[in-house]
Amino acid sequence: MTLRTILRLLAPSLALAATLAPAAQAYERTALGFTTAASRSGACHARLIDGRGVQQRRFTSKDTGLLSVHTQGAGDWDVAVFDAKTGRYLAGGASPDASEIAQGFVAAGQEVVVQACRRSGTGALRADVTTIALKTREAGERQPWSIVTVETPTAADKTRLLNLGFDEVHRGTERTLDVLVHGDAEKAELRRAGFEYRVRTPDLEKLDAANMVANARFARQTRRSDLPSGRDDYRHLADYENEMKELAKAHPGLVKLITLKNKSLEGRDVMGIEIAQNVNVDDGKPVFLQIGVHHAREWPSSEHAMEWAYELINGYGKSDRVTRLVNRTRTIVVPVMNVDGFNLSRESPFDPGNAGAAVDLPPELDQELPISDPTYTAVLLADINGGTFAYKRRNCRVEDGRAPAEGECANRDNRQLGVDPNRNYGGFWGGPGASLALDDDTYRGADAFSEPETQNIKDLVSRNQVVTLITNHTFSNLLLRPPGLRSQGESPDEPVYKAFGDAMAANNGYRSGMSYTLYDTSGTTEDWSYYATGGFGFTYEIGPDEFHPPYAETVAEYVGHDEYAGKGNREAYFVAQESTANTARHSILEGRAPAGATVKIRKQFATETAPVITNEETGETGPPRTFTDTLTDEITVGDTGRFEWHVNPSTRPIVMKERKISDVAEKPAKSQDISSLTPVPPRMPRDIEFDVTADANRLVQVLVNVQQQDDYDVYLYEGSVTPENLAASSTGSFG
């Protein structure tokens, strides 16, 4: 147990002092001002720009560490930071307003250019530039991060391994599990615990350096990749932000920019886009939600989510398939939900575009990317944090209950802190497969939905009829569906759920299965979304063996390769989009209301977490906690006065499972002639009473056969004095 954890356990006031390490380090702040009457469009962070609507200020860092630029102003300003000598990109921000945060790494004595671009609005911009000296690694201190395959022949072995605090990578077999280990000390810990292992990836830093070589070569040799956007290298956070703004601007009736409800812990906007025919009208179409980067290091997850947006936008009006699906559905894409963690991982000292290019570069990399600036070669920025932030998993929560101080998340001492967003959702929160230890990479957080990142997704799902959800991750070539806990057994929708997952996996070759097939997990995205709303949710684990492999592999996973060439995740996503449009997989509310009226639906219920584990060693649990789920949505009625609203089931899966005592009997328990010589007038109900015998403790199914083509709705009630509606059928016709 580290000193930090001991202090937090024994004396909270001391813990606070212990976690505020950056305040005692060198700290420099400079204010810069920008004023321009002109405006411009396009990316501010792509390069240094001379022209209207752009201003630049120079700044020299006194320390080696984290550089942060925070801006304030009116309108929409974007900001970027470049190395003054080489023009290399260091940091950027392109949110939809003037409150930008750009963070990257710099070296002492390095001169940088802060560039501000006014996109709209009036007035001036203030930029506060801060550099914080970060703790560096002593000579000979480097301990490599490795991926090892541990022998875990039983489920109990897997649980015991994860309870030791090792970071799982979601790859394994019935008899093995892969985890991350840091240096010889953690390997020795495995041996002391009686585990046998073999090293699969010996040094992730060297692997990243090799991948840099491959990425530079791929970008140089590729004029336009096979991705819908033509992209040839991993995006930075500013790329995502700028592209979403540009797509919404270029396609105003098709694409809408959205900003999620909560800012991140470090104060960033979390952005997304919606894609639909008449996207600015809430017209009741079924929703497909694509999410990337719950885990900061999993860069392909955001790339694939973003490329799906391009797939739909580029194909609309050109591809019959795309046009038909866009006209029948609404797609929401949030490419980066964990913005703070992703930015820290992406800008960590491995990127040749950063000051961090001073990583202990192998000769072949130096040949590919010659770096002449002595600042880059003299100061080995890999010694900041040992380069390990490239493999950061969690968000930037350093201490429960408060936002991190400036630079605190990037402090090397806090590398092992943060909440795993994909263990923080309310679905079975607090159960097996998530840790209650602060320095464990699957730390679940102080409570269900304690983090702004998961609150954002909860709010987004709760305000939309998300009938299909995909949360993208890396790696292991898996396509997973609920539940995450073996103890839950199959979901009530398992036959349809399995067929849906298998249909997607048939296009990318991933292994389709329930999430608990490797080990238990709790507090995951789709476990909450499915059990709260009934909408189908899946996890994609993209790629076979790396968190962020060479970019060419990310392209290949999207478009398909080998026997899946021409399919891949692109075609798997099409299967998901087509399922979203399939009315047999969700409900429809039809009705009339005055044109222009707003129609609302709302459901509120109490949700229990799992029994909350209070001691990981013994498995001791306390009672479940309860939180409130509120599902609400609204649509605007069109000019005809009729509406068709595609919604999720009204009965939650957990309730459906509790109510289902058995399957319907093969033979009818009772038949009754309800024919009438007098036609039933339209919209005038006719009640037919029948009795269910006391011993018929089964699921009841009522079939109504109509002899001629007509349109009837059927409702099933219990009781005659104050009847309670049990079920209904309101399809287009009976015949």
Side-chain angles (χ1 to χ4, degrees):
M1 183 178 291
T2 63
L3 175 62
R4 182 174 309 284
T5 307
I6 292 172
L7 287 171
R8 188 172 288 124
L9 289 174
L10 297 180
S13 61
L14 292 178
L16 179 61
T19 55
L20 288 175
Q25 296 175 331
Y27 188 101
E28 179 187 8
R29 173 168 290 172
T30 301
L32 303 175
F34 300 86
T35 304
T36 175
S39 62
R40 69 179 308 277
S41 60
C44 188
H45 65 282
R47 58 184 174 83
L48 288 167
I49 303 168
D50 291 324
R52 292 170 55 83
V54 181
Q55 283 195 330
Q56 298 166 352
R57 301 287 184 266
R58 290 182 176 247
F59 173 83
T60 300
S61 173
K62 294 181 180 178
D63 299 303
T64 295
L66 182 75
L67 178 140
S68 298
V69 179
H70 293 255
T71 67
Q72 290 182 328
D76 182 7
W77 289 75
D78 294 345
V79 68
V81 184
F82 302 88
D83 176 70
K85 292 183 179 180
T86 64
R88 287 188 180 89
Y89 170 83
L90 300 177
S95 72
D97 52 33
S99 298
E100 303 293 351
I101 300 176
Q103 287 184 332
F105 294 94
V106 292
Q110 181 178 2
E111 186 180 23
V112 303
V113 177
V114 180
Q115 176 170 280
C117 307
R118 189 170 75 84
R119 299 185 63 130
S120 65
T122 59
L125 183 76
R126 173 190 170 98
D128 290 318
V129 182
T130 303
T131 53
I132 300 175
L134 298 179
K135 183 178 180 180
T136 58
R137 187 169 55 197
E138 299 296 333
E141 186 184 350
R142 188 176 103 83
Q143 292 287 314
W145 286 80
S146 308
I147 297 177
V148 301
T149 298
V150 183
E151 295 295 324
T152 52
T154 68
D157 290 327
K158 289 180 170 62
T159 299
R160 187 166 64 91
L161 173 63
L162 296 178
N163 284 346
L164 290 175
F166 287 97
D167 181 1
E168 50 81 19
V169 301
H170 226 114
R171 180 175 62 187
T173 66
E174 289 185 2
R175 300 186 59 85
T176 67
L177 194 62
D178 286 10
V179 296
L180 274 176
V181 296
H182 187 209
D184 295 335
E186 292 194 356
K187 292 176 183 176
E189 185 178 356
L190 283 175
R191 292 191 294 269
R192 284 194 303 271
F195 287 107
E196 296 181 2
Y197 67 88
R198 65 182 184 276
V199 177
R200 190 169 190 132
T201 305
D203 193 326
L204 290 176
E205 286 185 54
K206 290 184 178 179
L207 177 65
D208 260 13
N211 287 350
M212 286 168 60
V213 176
N215 288 343
R217 185 180 297 118
F218 180 73
R220 190 174 60 249
Q221 296 174 351
T222 304
R223 182 176 180 182
R224 180 180 175 85
S225 76
D226 292 332
L227 294 172
S229 71
R231 185 85 190 178
D232 60 21
D233 198 3
Y234 287 110
R235 292 170 170 89
H236 299 271
L237 182 59
D239 286 312
Y240 288 106
E241 294 172 336
N242 177 72
E243 287 178 39
M244 286 188 281
K245 290 200 299 188
E246 290 293 323
L247 287 170
K249 180 180 178 181
H251 307 277
L254 180 67
V255 183
K256 179 172 68 175
L257 184 71
I258 61 173
T259 302
L260 275 59
K261 183 177 180 180
N262 301 293
K263 288 184 178 291
S264 71
L265 288 169
E266 291 191 323
R268 292 181 173 87
D269 286 322
V270 183
M271 296 167 58
I273 52 176
E274 293 186 14
I275 304 164
Q277 181 190 38
N278 298 324
V279 69
N280 296 304
V281 177
D282 296 325
D283 53 7
K285 293 188 177 81
V287 175
F288 176 24
L289 175 59
Q290 278 264 32
I291 310 171
V293 184
H294 271 77
H295 295 145
R297 63 198 176 195
E298 298 173 3
W299 308 348
S301 68
S302 54
E303 294 289 329
H304 281 208
M306 192 69 195
E307 291 303 325
W308 184 244
Y310 275 97
E311 192 81 54
L312 299 181
I313 296 166
N314 292 351
Y316 189 70
K318 300 174 184 176
S319 160
D320 290 343
R321 186 186 193 187
V322 170
T323 303
R324 173 176 52 85
L325 288 171
V326 170
N327 286 345
R328 295 174 61 193
T329 61
R330 180 178 296 266
T331 302
I332 303 176
V333 178
V334 180
V336 185
M337 69 85 71
N338 179 6
V339 288
D340 295 341
F342 172 72
N343 186 76
L344 188 54
S345 171
R346 184 66 181 91
E347 308 309 333
S348 69
F350 281 119
D351 184 349
N354 291 350
V359 174
D360 195 5
L361 300 175
E364 63 270 22
L365 178 58
D366 199 43
Q367 292 170 11
E368 291 284 338
L369 302 163
I371 299 172
S372 58
D373 187 344
T375 301
Y376 287 85
T377 54
V379 181
L380 300 182
L381 279 178
D383 287 344
I384 295 178
N385 315 308
T388 58
F389 278 104
Y391 289 94
K392 179 179 176 62
R393 174 185 175 104
R394 295 175 277 171
N395 73 355
C396 277
R397 179 75 73 184
V398 173
E399 184 178 37
D400 287 336
R402 69 172 179 88
E406 184 77 60
E408 196 172 7
C409 189
N411 186 347
R412 183 180 169 200
D413 287 342
N414 297 327
R415 167 62 180 83
Q416 289 301 105
L417 297 177
V419 173
D420 182 344
N422 207 39
R423 299 295 184 273
N424 187 243
Y425 289 85
F428 310 127
W429 181 88
S435 179
L436 58 116
L438 301 171
D439 56 359
D440 192 310
D441 258 324
T442 60
Y443 175 51
R444 67 197 186 192
D447 205 345
F449 294 112
S450 62
E451 306 308 297
E453 294 86 359
T454 55
Q455 292 169 21
N456 277 336
I457 301 302
K458 180 179 189 287
D459 177 71
L460 192 62
V461 172
S462 298
R463 290 186 296 103
N464 291 277
Q465 299 303 313
V466 178
V467 303
T468 309
L469 178 151
I470 290 177
T471 172
N472 295 280
H473 291 256
T474 60
F475 56 90
S476 293
N477 284 356
L478 297 173
L479 208 162
L480 304 173
R481 62 183 181 274
L485 294 180
R486 185 178 297 273
S487 61
Q488 295 300 309
E490 294 181 351
S491 75
D493 297 299
E494 173 58 16
V496 176
Y497 228 146
K498 181 181 186 302
F500 186 1
D502 290 352
M504 290 188 288
N507 292 285
N508 55 22
Y510 294 2
R511 179 158 58 91
S512 171
M514 286 177 277
S515 293
Y516 65 70
T517 52
L518 277 181
Y519 47 81
D520 280 342
T521 56
S522 58
T524 60
T525 316
E526 68 272 25
D527 266 2
W528 169 75
S529 66
Y530 168 67
Y531 285 101
T533 73
F536 292 125
F538 295 89
T539 287
Y540 275 47
E541 294 283 355
I542 299 169
D545 52 17
E546 289 189 49
F547 292 113
H548 42 264
Y551 197 71
E553 294 183 21
T554 296
V555 175
E557 289 294 328
Y558 185 86
V559 300
H561 55 92
D562 299 327
E563 63 182 295
Y564 299 99
K567 297 181 179 180
N569 282 344
R570 175 185 183 274
E571 190 62 30
Y573 292 158
F574 265 117
V575 172
Q577 195 87 40
E578 286 162 350
S579 179
T580 304
N582 183 354
T583 56
R585 289 187 172 173
H586 59 263
S587 304
I588 301 176
L589 294 176
E590 295 179 309
R592 290 181 175 274
T598 299
V599 182
K600 300 180 180 181
I601 55 176
R602 186 176 187 272
K603 179 167 64 173
Q604 190 173 78
F605 49 92
T607 300
E608 284 192 346
T609 68
V612 178
I613 294 176
T614 56
N615 188 313
E616 287 183 272
E617 293 185 5
T618 65
E620 182 179 351
T621 63
R625 300 181 188 178
T626 301
F627 62 92
T628 299
D629 268 314
T630 302
L631 308 182
T632 182
D633 197 5
E634 62 182 50
I635 61 171
T636 302
V637 180
D639 294 338
T640 65
R642 293 188 60 87
F643 62 86
E644 180 181 278
W645 199 346
H646 296 250
V647 298
N648 279 312
S650 60
T651 302
R652 288 174 289 139
I654 196 73
V655 176
M656 185 191 313
K657 189 172 184 178
E658 291 170 352
R659 287 182 178 178
K660 183 176 179 179
I661 300 171
S662 65
D663 293 324
V664 176
E666 293 183 5
K667 295 183 179 181
K670 182 178 183 179
S671 296
Q672 182 174 332
D673 184 358
I674 62 172
S675 60
S676 172
L677 296 177
T678 305
V680 178
R683 292 184 291 279
M684 291 294 291
R686 178 186 173 198
D687 294 339
I688 297 101
E689 294 187 1
F690 64 94
D691 296 326
V692 178
T693 58
D695 61 345
N697 191 19
R698 304 179 63 86
L699 182 68
V700 176
Q701 176 175 283
V702 178
L703 300 177
V704 179
N705 295 316
V706 181
Q707 294 179 349
Q708 60 185 15
Q709 185 72 27
D710 211 333
D711 184 1
Y712 284 87
D713 294 344
V714 178
Y715 298 85
L716 179 64
Y717 291 89
E718 178 184 19
S720 58
V721 179
T722 56
E724 177 187 359
N725 184 210
L726 299 180
S729 176
S730 182
T731 57
S733 65
F734 279 105

